[in-house]
Amino acid sequence: MRKSHPLRRVVLATAATVSGVVLLLSLKPSTDPGATQAAGAGGGAAAQEAAQGGAGAVVSGTMTGDAAQTQYGAVQVRITVVENKITKAEAVQAPKGGTSTQKTELAVPKLNAAVVARQSANIDTVSGATYTSEGYKKSLQSAIDKANASAGSSQGSGSAQAAGTFTGDAAQTQYGAVQVRITVAGGKITKAEAVQAPKGGTSDQKTQLSVPKLNQEAVAAGSADIDSVSGATYTSEGYKKSLQSALDKAKAGKGPSSGSGNAGGSGNAGGSGSSAGSAGSSGAAQAKTVTGSVEQTQYGPVQVRITVAGGKITKAEAVQAPKGGTSDQKTQLSVPKLNQEAVAAGSADIDSVSGATYTSEGYKKSLQSALDKAGV
């Protein structure tokens, strides 16, 4: 029997080893198991894929998911997306009271961190806070879906794109309503103000402390993703909710905007809703006169008419006000001051006149209605 040469055996063994390695490499899965897992539950969407919508569109902005109801209360999640990546996640609503507060404080920070790390709704449930975790993930998926839906649209940045003035829905808080109005130009918030805020007692101090800061933050951030003011948590949260509502209206092109919200005369007293001069579509250079809605008060109706030019109130007057008895004195006392304040402030965010509270409140409501019609 012929004996094989040792060198030949070495060469053959080496060739066999190389062939085996090549075969193994050719059989290796082309997808990363970790990536497959991340794209599994929660709609199978990592933040980049969800925001791109499969079309390669770049998405940046703030998206708030739908509130998910749980056994212990609602959970609502807001995410901040920068160039298709989730950079921040937070719960704008979460269960509170009793042991729910402890579970929320335990779970939410972990869930927030997990979202940024995983870039999807496929995150683990926090032990001991199952209901909160499940609600969180549902709302989170809703926010990601909204980012996905906004991909490719000019309004997908989460910031207001339409030009004009938009008033958010009033957000009820433990101490009173908060309502925010924003002015948008060039796709950016140029002005933010609270047309309603808690008043009376310590609420006055908290409102004076927080609202200017919140206004400034809204303009700087260009979104509702702003910090709450310490010591005014309820006002801050209400502010952010109403601000988000205003931003949503701006994105959808809803509500009055500059040049598109001119009153057409319907509902205006004496036909005063028509523009002074020609009713041009721009409304910027033309002066126009708009009459607000009639507001019923305990002592009679109040109705305000304003003249607007260049986006500013140049004149305000009450076409209706309480009359008879002491009402005459209160009207004579309050209306001139309210008119002056309206022109100076350029908004309905003006102080009530002491001793004429009902007239003042009616005046401000009718004034806000006129401003909404005028798009100021």
Side-chain angles (χ1 to χ4, degrees):
M1 187 173 183
R2 188 176 177 182
K3 208 170 184 182
S4 60
H5 196 280
L7 181 59
R8 185 179 180 185
R9 289 201 302 272
V10 171
V11 172
L12 291 173
T14 302
T17 301
V18 171
S19 299
V21 171
V22 171
L23 179 61
L24 286 172
L25 289 174
S26 67
L27 294 175
K28 184 179 178 181
S30 59
T31 58
D32 183 358
T36 303
Q37 182 181 5
Q48 289 106 322
E49 295 175 8
Q52 289 170 354
V58 178
V59 174
S60 295
T62 303
M63 291 81 181
T64 303
D66 297 333
Q69 297 298 325
T70 76
Q71 185 173 335
Y72 298 101
V75 182
Q76 190 173 27
V77 178
R78 183 167 63 215
I79 58 173
T80 300
V81 179
V82 177
E83 294 182 353
N84 301 342
K85 291 185 179 180
I86 301 175
T87 59
K88 184 179 180 182
E90 56 185 324
V92 294
Q93 288 190 69
K96 292 183 180 180
T99 57
S100 293
T101 300
Q102 296 175 337
K103 291 183 178 181
T104 291
E105 292 174 350
L106 165 72
V108 168
K110 293 181 180 179
L111 294 167
N112 292 339
V115 172
V116 176
R118 296 295 294 273
Q119 293 291 301
S120 80
N122 183 30
I123 57 178
D124 294 331
T125 297
V126 175
S127 178
T130 304
Y131 290 103
T132 298
S133 299
E134 292 306 314
Y136 185 102
K137 289 189 278 186
K138 287 180 183 178
S139 182
L140 169 61
Q141 185 60 54
S142 170
I144 291 176
D145 289 343
K146 289 180 181 181
N148 188 10
S150 71
S153 71
S154 62
Q155 297 171 352
S157 66
S159 297
Q161 297 297 314
T165 303
F166 304 88
T167 304
D169 297 333
Q172 298 298 325
T173 76
Q174 186 173 336
Y175 298 102
V178 181
Q179 190 173 28
V180 178
R181 183 170 62 220
I182 58 173
T183 301
V184 179
K188 295 182 179 180
I189 301 174
T190 58
K191 183 180 179 182
E193 56 186 324
V195 294
Q196 287 191 68
K199 292 184 178 181
T202 58
S203 293
D204 287 333
Q205 296 175 338
K206 291 184 178 181
T207 292
Q208 292 171 5
L209 165 72
S210 61
V211 168
K213 294 181 180 179
L214 294 166
N215 291 340
Q216 186 177 1
E217 285 294 317
V219 173
S223 74
D225 184 20
I226 58 179
D227 293 331
S228 295
V229 175
S230 178
T233 304
Y234 290 102
T235 298
S236 299
E237 292 306 314
Y239 185 102
K240 289 189 279 185
K241 287 179 183 177
S242 183
L243 172 58
Q244 185 62 54
S245 169
L247 286 165
D248 291 341
K249 290 179 181 179
K251 287 198 310 180
K254 295 178 181 178
S257 58
S258 296
S260 63
N262 294 354
S266 59
N268 290 348
S272 59
S274 61
S275 299
S278 63
S281 60
S282 67
Q286 295 289 343
K288 57 185 176 183
T289 302
V290 182
T291 305
S293 58
V294 178
E295 296 296 330
Q296 297 297 329
T297 75
Q298 186 172 336
Y299 298 101
V302 180
Q303 189 176 30
V304 178
R305 183 168 61 215
I306 57 173
T307 300
V308 178
K312 295 182 179 181
I313 302 174
T314 59
K315 183 180 179 181
E317 56 186 323
V319 293
Q320 290 191 64
K323 293 182 179 180
T326 58
S327 294
D328 286 333
Q329 296 175 339
K330 291 183 178 181
T331 293
Q332 292 172 4
L333 165 72
S334 61
V335 168
K337 293 182 180 179
L338 293 167
N339 291 340
Q340 186 177 2
E341 285 294 317
V343 174
S347 75
D349 186 18
I350 57 179
D351 293 331
S352 295
V353 175
S354 178
T357 304
Y358 291 103
T359 299
S360 298
E361 292 306 314
Y363 184 102
K364 289 190 280 185
K365 288 180 182 178
S366 182
L367 171 60
Q368 184 61 58
S369 168
L371 287 164
D372 290 340
K373 290 178 181 179
V376 176

